């Protein structure tokens, strides 16, 4: 496909302008291409073009062993990397029957919620940035640095924590870390209140209230998930509905935040308040953290051998909603099939819906409120756009080619 | 009005020290690197026994076996996951705290 | 000082001062965000770098207009700035009055958007239409605020005579009359839009339309555009400080004898005005949409400027 | 005269960031490098939205097939002189996605890269250092 990101393309109809919003656009850090049709300032139609970050991770993973695949799925995305590995290891554990210790499960939960805080703060910052409020953006991201520091202390990296391993976690929590986490939580709680106030500021309010409304029934029809759904009053949350890791024990400390309005502000507020819930969960985790080892004694090769042939589906609630993995192992330490269904993929479907009828100025804000991070979303068939032909590469050929390239 | 809050904060920060860590402009200043930080690999050739376990787990294809039965690392491919250090039976691989892996020339980044 | 000499001196001085002001603005902005921020001389570095870059003209652009317009824009804002500065410097007027200055500033904005939209980029086209609506919104209250001066106190609309008037009263205009205070308020409210900073940077919103009409400009063209914008901002703040808030007038007649000092005071005041009308809003506010901005300008500054005209007509 | 220009260039590298299929890890670290803690702007850097304004191209991601023409296009749109910095392991060498059908990278196979910042993701400090180093060597 020829680059059209910043090029003009005037439609036949003379007042109807086709703008390519992305894939290279400063408002979006990720390449998504929205073809927006506008009349004056009003959006009349939207087309979503995906696939710019398609890296073929699923088929790559199928060509590698489980230990390698674990780090590969982590790199599906840098924002909810822990969700991906948790989901993946959960599936493997289900297939093999390896039970992680209680402590490991609690630690997984801890990182999970920290990740949720970091991800939500990131999004709030982006929202502020989209409406041109740089100071608030700087502020939220500065608060976020605290969480990242803790990640770095606990796991050794700010983004890709590499926390999970088959049957447990790799890094333990020391008492000093607990203390520091505790202090940090208090600070974040205070900042959240400040951010909440700032988001109710007049100019921000003008840019978010009543925009991009996705009503309840439509939200259900379009299968949106996560905060996007909860902003429209759809009461779903994997953490409560299908508890995994240590969430079964956490039921009483967190509530599912719901807002009815379904507009940009509602979605933003859901995220804001979810941070507070996450803080509660983390406090609980620190409180109850069981003793014990964090990972099985055996080394990774033994563990891989223990995983017999089988398949499993695993679900987690990533910061952006329900993340689903289907894993099929081949019993020889490899994967036969990996399928990832990511939250943004479900959420994007509603974009067209919420954008039509709004102004160009609202596009980035609304798009950001869905929180589309697309590294995980870019998938699906290979379509050769130059000649429009649909080119579905068969699994085997693909795998063969992949192997060949990998060997070089 | 709520604008007031942001304004007050912004105005106050005018007279406070900025939170910026003056990395590079003032030597020695940086955000502290924690103990567990996974940075550039350090490899101890002497203790390595050439079992090649590390090669089997490396997700990036970083590690190559050399003719002398040891291994070499192509750091430019390393994703710093630390899995190799974990499986190495002799502890020959460590992830150091060096995080500035910046170079003009990728070939420099091979360690043996 | 001789008026002609002052004018000739002003031409190089005004861009230097404007870039300095811009640097200060950026520094303050950064400090308010708890950052260190760029050095104060950053705009000069930017300018030098941009001037030394490759010139690229997009294939879709109509070359002539695209090339010439940044020059037109810079020339007209420079001219506006120099007229104003020479008026303050020499306290005499060789060419043009307030209306001309305001016209030149508007001209410089228009030249930029015309040049930008000649690039053929759809974002420029959107930027163009947004800028035009914005100009309608702020130019009218701004002009009325200035014209109200002619109804009331000042004998003429030449900057030097307004300054003289203020000096003869021994008070800045805002303090001497209610009508002028309203006019000053309207004028100050129009500055952020004219300078197109957040919350009114709608025509060049980075996250929406990628700088709008500036999108295709690069290298020397962008340098010219930047200078033109920076001189425009500077002129606006200096204008506000000279015609409404001529603080040196408090010194009485000495202000006219000691023009260097007066200019210095004037610059300090305009720096303050810049801080209040440009730096602070862009730090603590979020961007509005065109409709909202229009509504704001139609309501507040327009009412203010109209009431100032009415009040000055009844000599308040 | 030449020294003045080169000083201006070193002091004001404007950055255009292009995601060529990265995992977001590096992208958020690039943005984080502009936030108060690291503040790239103290070196005069600005994150610009149009390649026409840029001097430095930060490439993140292993260059997927769809982004390949865009990478070339953006590179061409940046006026000379320009610097390219590959940020992250996958931009520097394509790993761990090497071997995929969809990957055309790493970036240096397609456009000349002046500095590599390895890490997955690199710390913002390393990104700061990468930009400063690249600019220093090329614009000197
Ligand atoms: S979209 Fe296709 S190639 Fe990409 S990760 Fe999914 S299955 Fe693999
Ligand atoms: S693909 Fe996802 S969003 Fe679409 S119907 Fe299936 S589950 Fe729902
Ligand atoms: S939704 Fe996808 S891209 Fe976004 S953070 Fe989660 S995994 Fe990453
Ligand atoms: S083409 Fe068929 S197999 Fe491929 S993604 Fe679509 S539905 Fe699934
Ligand atoms: S840290 Fe990970 S990527 Fe790097 S060499 Fe070790 S196993 Fe390979
Ligand atoms: S695992 Fe350790 S001992 Fe074995 S080859 Fe690798 S570095 Fe050497
Ligand atoms: S280097 Fe690592 S963190 Fe950066 S984009 Fe690539 S996979 Fe993501």
């Amino acid at each position: 496909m020829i680059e059209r990101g910043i090029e003009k393309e005037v439609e036949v109809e003379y007042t109807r302008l086709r703008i390519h919003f992305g894939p290279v656009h400063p408002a979006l850090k990720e390449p998504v291409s929205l073809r927006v049709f506008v009349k004056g300032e009003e959006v009349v139609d939207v087309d979503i073009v995906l696939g710019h970050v398609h890296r073929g991770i699923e088929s790559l993973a199928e060509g590698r062993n489980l230990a390698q695949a674990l780090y590969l799925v982590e790199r599906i995305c840098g924002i909810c990397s822990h969700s991906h590995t948790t989901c993946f290891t959960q599936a493997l554990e289900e297939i093999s029957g390896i039970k992680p210790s209680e402590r490991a499960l609690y630690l997984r939960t801890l990182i999970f919620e920290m990740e949720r805080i970091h991800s939500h703060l990131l999004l709030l910052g982006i929202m502020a940035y989209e409406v041109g409020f740089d100071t608030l953006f700087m502020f939220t991201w500065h608060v976020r640095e605290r969480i990242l520091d803790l990640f770095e202390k606990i796991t050794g990296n700010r983004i890709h924590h590499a926390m999970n391993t088959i049957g447990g976690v790799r890094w333990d929590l020391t008492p000093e870390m607990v203390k520091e986490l505790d202090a940090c939580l208090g600070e974040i709680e205070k900042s959240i209140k400040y951010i909440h106030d700032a988001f109710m500021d007049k100019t921000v309010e003008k840019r978010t209230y009543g925009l991009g409304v996705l009503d309840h029934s439509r939200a259900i029809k379009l299968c949106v998930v996560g905060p996007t759904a909860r902003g429209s009053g759809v009461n779903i949350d994997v953490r409560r509905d299908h508890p995994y890791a240590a969430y079964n024990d956490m039921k009483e400390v967190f509530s599912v935040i719901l807002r009815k309005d379904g507009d940009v502000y509602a979605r933003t507020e859901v995220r804001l308040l979810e941070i507070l819930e996450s803080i509660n969960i983390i406090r609980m985790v620190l409180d109850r953290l069981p003793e014990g080892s964090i990972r099985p004694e055996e080394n990774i090769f033994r563990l891989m051998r223990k995983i017999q042939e089988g398949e499993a589906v695993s679900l987690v609630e990533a910061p952006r909603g329900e993340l689903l993995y289907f894993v099929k192992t081949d019993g020889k330490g490899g994967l036969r099939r990996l399928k990832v269904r990511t939250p943004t993929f479900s959420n994007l479907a509603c974009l067209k819906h919420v954008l039509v009828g709004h102004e160009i100025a609202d596009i980035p804000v609304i798009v950001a409120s869905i929180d589309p991070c697309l590294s995980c979303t870019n998938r699906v068939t290979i379509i050769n756009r130059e000649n429009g032909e649909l080119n579905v590469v068969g699994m085997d050929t693909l795998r063969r080619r992949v192997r060949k390239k990998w060997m070089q | 009005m709520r604008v007031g809050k942001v304004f007050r904060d912004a105005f106050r920060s005018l007279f406070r020290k900025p939170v910026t860590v003056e990395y590079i402009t003032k030597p020695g200043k940086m955000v502290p690197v924690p103990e567990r930080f996974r940075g550039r690999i350090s490899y101890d050739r002497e203790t390595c026994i050439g079992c090649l376990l590390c090669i089997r787990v490396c997700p990036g294809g970083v590690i190559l076996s050399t003719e002398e039965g040891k291994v070499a690392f192509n750091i430019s491919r390393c994703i710093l996951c630390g899995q190799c250090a974990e499986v190495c039976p002799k502890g020959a691989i460590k992830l150091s705290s060096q995080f500035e892996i910046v170079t003009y020339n990728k070939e420099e980044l091979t360690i043996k | 000082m001789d008026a002609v000499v002052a004018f000739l001196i002003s031409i190089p001085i005004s861009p230097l001062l404007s870039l300095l002001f811009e640097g200060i603005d950026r520094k303050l902005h950064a400090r308010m965000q708890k950052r260190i921020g760029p050095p104060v001389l950053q705009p000069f570095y930017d300018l030098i770098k941009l001037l030394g870059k490759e010139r690229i003209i997009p294939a879709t652009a109509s070359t002539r207009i695209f090339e010439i317009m940044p020059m037109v824009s810079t020339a007209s804002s420079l001219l506006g700035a120099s007229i104003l500065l020479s008026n303050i410097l020499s306290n005499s007027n060789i060419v043009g009055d307030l209306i001309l200055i305001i016209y030149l500033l508007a001209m410089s904005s228009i030249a930029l958007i015309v040049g930008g939209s000649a690039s053929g980029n759809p974002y420029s086209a959107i930027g163009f239409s947004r800028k035009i609506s914005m100009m309608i919104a702020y130019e009218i209250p701004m002009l009325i605020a200035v014209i109200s001066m002619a109804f009331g106190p000042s004998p003429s609309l030449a900057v030097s005579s307004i300054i003289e008037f203020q000096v003869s009263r021994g008070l800045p205009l805002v303090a001497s009359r209610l009508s002028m205070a309203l006019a000053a308020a309207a004028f100050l409210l129009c500055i952020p839009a004219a300078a197109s900073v957040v919350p009114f940077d709608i025509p060049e919103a980075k996250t929406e339309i990628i700088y709008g009409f500036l999108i295709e400009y690069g290298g020397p063209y962008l340098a010219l555009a930047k200078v033109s914008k920076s001189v425009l901002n500077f002129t606006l703040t200096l204008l506000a400080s000279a015609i409404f808030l001529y603080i040196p007038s408090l010194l009485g007649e000495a202000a006219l004898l000691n023009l260097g000092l007066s200019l210095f005071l004037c610059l300090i005041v305009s720096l303050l005005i810049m801080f209040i009308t440009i730096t602070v809003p862009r730090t603590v506010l979020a961007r509005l949409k065109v409709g909202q901005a229009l509504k704001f300008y139609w309501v507040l500054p327009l009412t203010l400027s109209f009431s100032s005209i009415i009040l000055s007509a009844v000599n308040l | 005269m030449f020294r003045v220009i080169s000083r201006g260039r070193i002091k004001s590298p404007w950055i255009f960031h292009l995601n060529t299929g990265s995992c977001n890890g590096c992208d958020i670290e690039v943005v984080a490098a502009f936030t108060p803690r690291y503040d790239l702007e103290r070196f005069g850097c600005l994150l610009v939205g149009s390649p026409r304004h840029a001097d430095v191209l930060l490439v993140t991601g292993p260059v997927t097939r769809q982004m390949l023409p865009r990478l070339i296009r953006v590179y061409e749109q940046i006026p000379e002189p320009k610097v390219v910095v590959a940020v992250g392991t996958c931009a520097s060498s394509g790993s761990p996605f090497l071997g995929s059908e969809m990957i055309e990278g790493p970036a240096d196979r397609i456009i000349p890269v002046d500095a590599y910042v390895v890490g997955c993701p690199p710390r913002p400090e390393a990104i700061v250092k990468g930009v400063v180093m690249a600019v220093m060597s090329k614009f000197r």
Side-chain angles (χ1 to χ4, degrees):
Chain A
M1 186 175 163
I2 324 126
E3 152 76 24
R4 303 229 189 84
I6 346 185
E7 227 193 4
K8 85 159 173 187
E9 216 168 281
V10 183
E11 280 275 291
V12 201
E13 231 182 293
Y14 150 81
T15 45
R16 217 168 103 140
L17 200 59
R18 179 155 103 185
I19 322 174
H20 287 266
F21 190 83
V24 182
H25 191 281
L28 301 161
K29 287 287 156 274
E30 294 100 295
V32 57
S33 172
L34 301 177
R35 294 202 192 139
V36 181
F37 299 90
V38 292
K39 233 177 191 153
E41 281 259 334
E42 197 195 327
V43 177
V44 286
D45 199 3
V46 184
D47 241 354
I48 306 169
V49 184
L50 290 177
H52 303 294
V53 260
H54 180 97
R55 288 159 297 179
I57 291 185
E58 287 176 8
S59 61
L60 261 184
E62 284 153 19
R64 302 197 180 169
N65 70 30
L66 291 175
Q68 294 168 333
L70 181 62
Y71 298 104
L72 196 61
V73 296
E74 183 165 40
R75 276 147 187 92
I76 287 180
C77 175
I79 306 176
C80 40
S81 57
H82 185 70
S83 318
H84 283 275
T85 52
T86 311
C87 206
F88 185 64
T89 44
Q90 268 177 20
L92 294 182
E93 283 152 15
E94 197 184 318
I95 294 172
S96 64
I98 303 169
K99 272 243 155 352
S101 70
E102 278 290 300
R103 189 176 174 88
L105 289 180
Y106 268 73
L107 288 176
R108 268 185 198 170
T109 313
L110 171 82
I111 299 292
F112 223 104
E113 290 308 318
M114 280 169 67
E115 187 173 84
R116 195 179 314 278
I117 296 178
H118 124 79
S119 165
H120 283 351
L121 279 174
L122 180 134
L123 178 86
L124 293 170
I126 296 286
M127 285 287 298
Y129 180 69
E130 304 297 6
V131 298
F133 202 160
D134 276 6
T135 312
L136 190 53
F137 157 71
M138 295 281 180
F139 183 81
T140 33
W141 278 55
H142 186 62
V143 175
R144 184 176 151 268
E145 287 289 324
R146 293 280 300 161
I147 287 280
L148 293 183
D149 281 352
L150 282 166
F151 271 139
E152 208 174 30
K153 277 219 174 79
I154 299 172
T155 70
N157 196 304
R158 290 156 53 94
I159 305 289
H160 287 307
H161 321 307
M163 185 72 175
N164 286 311
T165 184
I166 301 167
V169 293
R170 292 174 64 193
W171 321 100
D172 203 353
L173 214 58
T174 61
E176 303 100 74
M177 289 173 188
V178 174
K179 230 178 270 155
E180 203 167 320
L181 248 172
D182 222 29
C184 169
L185 289 182
E187 263 173 56
I188 290 178
E189 214 168 359
K190 249 201 300 185
S191 321
I192 295 299
K193 302 226 163 82
Y194 175 83
I195 294 170
H196 197 172
D197 276 352
F199 266 96
M200 283 153 83
D201 165 320
K202 263 271 171 300
T203 42
V204 182
E205 184 189 304
K206 281 212 163 113
R207 294 298 303 272
T208 51
Y209 271 109
L211 272 188
V213 177
L214 183 70
D215 56 33
H216 183 87
S217 56
R218 193 148 272 149
I220 292 180
K221 217 184 274 163
L222 289 172
C223 296
V224 296
V225 292
T228 313
R230 292 195 283 273
S232 303
V234 184
N235 197 348
I236 49 166
D237 191 326
V238 183
R239 290 177 291 171
R240 183 201 56 203
D241 304 336
H242 306 276
Y244 54 99
Y247 284 109
N248 223 348
D249 305 351
M250 301 293 155
K251 274 192 169 146
E252 69 269 29
V253 290
F254 82 97
S255 52
V256 178
I257 309 283
L258 288 177
R259 282 286 175 278
K260 279 201 211 57
D261 321 342
D263 60 357
V264 172
Y265 187 76
R267 293 193 277 270
T268 313
E269 202 175 20
V270 166
R271 293 201 170 89
L272 254 166
L273 299 179
E274 271 182 11
I275 298 178
L276 296 177
E277 299 297 323
S278 294
I279 292 177
N280 285 344
I281 298 179
I282 295 179
R283 290 219 166 102
M284 196 57 152
V285 168
L286 295 182
D287 232 34
R288 290 202 191 156
L289 195 62
E291 294 299 319
S293 69
I294 52 166
R295 57 186 301 174
E297 298 287 298
E298 301 105 314
N299 75 10
I300 190 101
F301 297 106
R302 279 264 165 72
L303 286 171
M304 267 164 24
R305 235 169 287 140
K306 260 174 126 181
I307 297 172
Q308 62 281 62
E309 198 173 342
E311 54 185 61
V313 170
S314 152
L315 268 181
V316 297
E317 176 80 15
R320 282 154 190 81
E322 175 189 295
L323 169 68
L324 179 142
Y325 266 61
F326 168 77
V327 178
K328 189 169 177 183
T329 49
D330 64 0
K332 287 178 244 138
L335 283 166
R336 188 152 291 159
R337 180 81 181 95
L338 175 71
K339 173 79 202 142
V340 185
R341 216 235 25 211
T342 52
T344 304
F345 192 55
S346 328
N347 285 344
L348 269 185
C350 73
L351 258 190
K352 175 168 179 174
H353 224 90
V354 293
L355 279 179
V356 170
H358 288 294
E359 290 172 39
I360 295 173
D362 297 327
I363 300 175
V365 186
I366 298 177
V367 172
S369 78
I370 310 279
D371 199 357
C373 40
L374 297 154
S375 358
C376 63
T377 305
N378 284 289
R379 46 188 54 262
V380 189
T381 36
I382 310 144
I383 298 172
N384 189 338
R385 278 192 185 279
E386 268 128 68
N387 45 22
E389 93 189 25
L390 215 68
N391 181 7
V392 185
V393 179
M395 212 62 233
D396 288 338
T397 29
L398 198 63
R399 208 168 289 163
R400 223 177 313 118
R401 283 196 244 167
V402 167
R403 287 256 162 75
K404 209 169 76 207
K405 241 179 165 178
W406 173 241
M407 287 305 169
Q408 304 167 355
Chain B
M1 203 148 105
R2 296 219 169 70
V3 183
K5 210 159 172 183
V6 181
F7 176 68
R8 211 166 54 219
D9 187 57
F11 197 73
R12 253 190 233 145
S13 14
L14 254 187
F15 303 101
R16 291 219 190 108
K17 218 169 148 311
V19 294
T20 310
V21 179
E22 285 169 86
Y23 180 66
I24 294 188
T25 38
K26 286 216 181 118
K29 284 233 179 175
M30 67 170 85
V31 181
V33 183
E35 206 181 317
R36 282 185 190 168
F37 184 78
R38 283 177 271 133
R40 183 197 199 121
I41 288 195
S42 69
Y43 167 58
D44 182 0
R45 201 174 160 76
E46 297 310 307
T47 38
C48 172
I49 51 168
C51 64
L52 306 188
L53 286 181
C54 48
I55 296 184
R56 283 174 57 196
V57 290
C58 177
V62 176
I63 314 174
L64 304 166
S65 63
T66 56
E67 277 142 30
E68 314 93 90
K70 306 268 171 162
V71 289
F73 296 78
N74 178 1
I75 302 286
S76 72
R77 278 178 153 214
C78 178
I79 57 172
L80 308 172
C81 62
Q83 186 67 49
C84 51
E86 199 179 300
V87 298
C88 178
K90 288 288 165 191
I93 309 175
K94 294 234 160 34
L95 270 71
S96 67
S97 63
Q98 193 199 340
F99 60 86
E100 300 170 329
I101 322 177
V102 188
T103 178
Y104 297 124
N105 181 4
K106 267 201 303 194
E107 269 66 59
E108 282 173 9
L109 286 177
T110 309
I111 52 173
K112 283 201 174 115
Chain C
M1 202 186 298
D2 186 41
V4 181
V5 177
F7 186 73
L8 289 180
I9 292 177
S10 313
I11 292 179
I13 286 184
S14 50
L16 291 181
L17 279 173
S18 339
L19 290 176
L20 189 65
F21 268 45
E22 193 190 329
I24 295 173
D25 166 58
R26 277 178 68 180
K27 188 83 184 172
L28 289 173
H29 180 61
R31 287 306 306 273
M32 285 170 95
Q33 294 178 338
K34 304 188 172 68
R35 298 185 283 131
I36 290 182
V40 172
L41 293 183
Q42 189 59 43
F44 293 96
Y45 298 133
D46 290 349
L47 186 69
I48 292 168
K49 174 206 72 179
L50 285 173
L51 285 174
K53 287 202 71 141
E54 185 191 5
R55 278 195 259 170
I56 295 184
I57 297 165
T60 46
S62 39
T63 318
R64 267 289 130 71
I65 302 180
F66 185 82
E67 273 187 313
I68 289 173
M69 280 307 165
M71 296 175 206
V72 174
S73 166
T74 315
S76 54
S77 62
L78 259 183
L79 195 58
S82 316
I83 292 175
L84 178 62
L85 206 59
S86 67
N87 264 311
I88 300 174
L89 252 179
S90 67
N91 193 36
S92 56
N93 193 17
I94 44 167
V95 49
D97 56 7
L98 265 179
I99 304 288
L100 179 70
I101 294 175
I102 299 237
Y103 169 77
L104 280 172
L105 295 185
M107 178 71 191
S108 115
S109 300
I110 290 178
L112 261 193
I113 58 175
V114 168
S117 56
S119 71
N121 190 305
Y123 286 114
S124 312
I126 299 169
F128 183 89
S129 75
R130 285 179 169 196
K131 183 75 189 180
I132 293 290
S133 350
M134 285 303 291
M135 285 186 81
I136 295 169
Y138 70 76
E139 286 290 344
I140 293 176
M142 199 179 223
L143 263 180
I144 295 178
V146 168
I147 289 172
S148 74
M149 213 166 281
F151 276 80
S154 168
S156 95
L157 275 178
V159 177
S160 52
S161 57
I162 296 175
I163 290 177
E164 259 165 36
F165 175 77
Q166 298 186 57
V167 172
S168 68
R169 282 293 198 84
L171 264 183
L173 258 187
V174 256
S176 59
R177 275 158 180 262
L178 179 60
S179 64
M180 284 302 106
L182 294 184
F187 192 88
L188 290 184
L189 282 173
C190 290
I191 290 181
S196 80
V197 292
V198 178
F200 304 112
D201 70 333
I202 306 162
E204 49 200 75
K206 179 183 168 193
T207 52
E208 289 163 14
I209 53 172
I210 328 183
Y211 310 113
F213 44 85
L214 288 182
I215 183 169
E216 292 286 358
Y217 279 123
Y221 303 118
L222 187 64
L224 285 179
K226 290 257 164 201
V227 171
S228 143
K229 277 168 65 77
S230 152
V231 171
L232 179 115
N233 297 0
F234 167 72
T235 317
L236 283 169
T237 53
L238 189 62
L239 195 59
S241 114
I243 62 175
F244 292 112
L245 277 159
Y246 194 67
I247 294 297
S249 65
L250 294 175
L251 300 176
E253 288 301 321
L256 291 185
L257 301 176
N258 208 338
L259 284 166
L261 178 70
S262 316
L263 179 68
F264 181 71
L265 286 175
C266 222
L267 286 174
I268 299 280
V269 174
S270 65
L271 202 59
L272 264 176
I273 293 176
M274 182 196 72
F275 179 69
I276 294 165
T277 59
I278 294 180
T279 315
V280 169
R282 89 187 176 107
T283 312
V284 304
L285 293 173
R287 185 185 306 121
L288 292 172
K289 289 191 281 189
V290 183
Q292 292 159 345
L294 283 183
K295 214 157 108 198
F296 173 80
Y297 275 106
W298 289 128
V299 176
L300 197 57
L302 202 63
T303 328
L304 280 175
S305 51
F306 266 120
S307 23
S308 105
I309 269 211
I310 294 167
L311 284 179
S312 52
V314 300
N315 233 340
L316 254 175
Chain D
M1 186 60 207
F2 183 75
R3 280 203 41 214
V4 174
I5 291 185
S6 101
R7 192 171 161 72
R9 282 179 185 157
I10 289 175
K11 284 276 198 176
S12 133
W14 288 0
I15 293 177
F16 184 80
H17 164 218
L18 182 69
N19 174 339
T20 58
S22 90
C23 77
N24 286 352
C26 286
D27 310 72
I28 51 183
E29 294 294 62
V30 167
V31 179
F34 282 89
T35 56
R37 164 83 81 75
Y38 306 100
D39 192 23
L40 253 179
E41 204 184 346
R42 72 203 146 96
F43 301 104
C45 298
L46 274 186
L47 199 56
V48 294
S50 162
R52 298 251 190 252
H53 303 183
D55 309 294
V56 180
L57 176 63
L58 284 192
V59 183
T60 57
V63 190
T64 57
R65 193 184 281 180
Q66 282 225 29
M67 288 309 282
L68 172 74
R70 287 187 172 76
L71 175 62
I72 297 171
R73 178 73 176 258
V74 164
Y75 180 75
E76 281 165 358
Q77 278 179 338
I78 296 179
E80 292 284 353
K82 53 194 161 194
V83 167
V84 180
V85 182
V87 173
T89 301
C90 60
S92 309
S93 65
S95 156
F97 308 113
L98 270 186
S100 164
E101 263 297 282
M102 304 299 135
I103 304 297
E104 305 278 356
D108 57 2
R109 215 194 270 174
I110 297 147
I111 54 173
V113 173
D114 297 294
Y116 303 86
V117 184
V118 177
C120 187
R123 279 182 131 200
E125 277 126 317
I127 298 178
V128 171
K129 173 129 188 194
V131 171
V132 172
M133 266 175 68
V135 167
M136 287 296 211
S137 79
K138 183 90 177 246
F139 290 159
R140 174 82 64 198

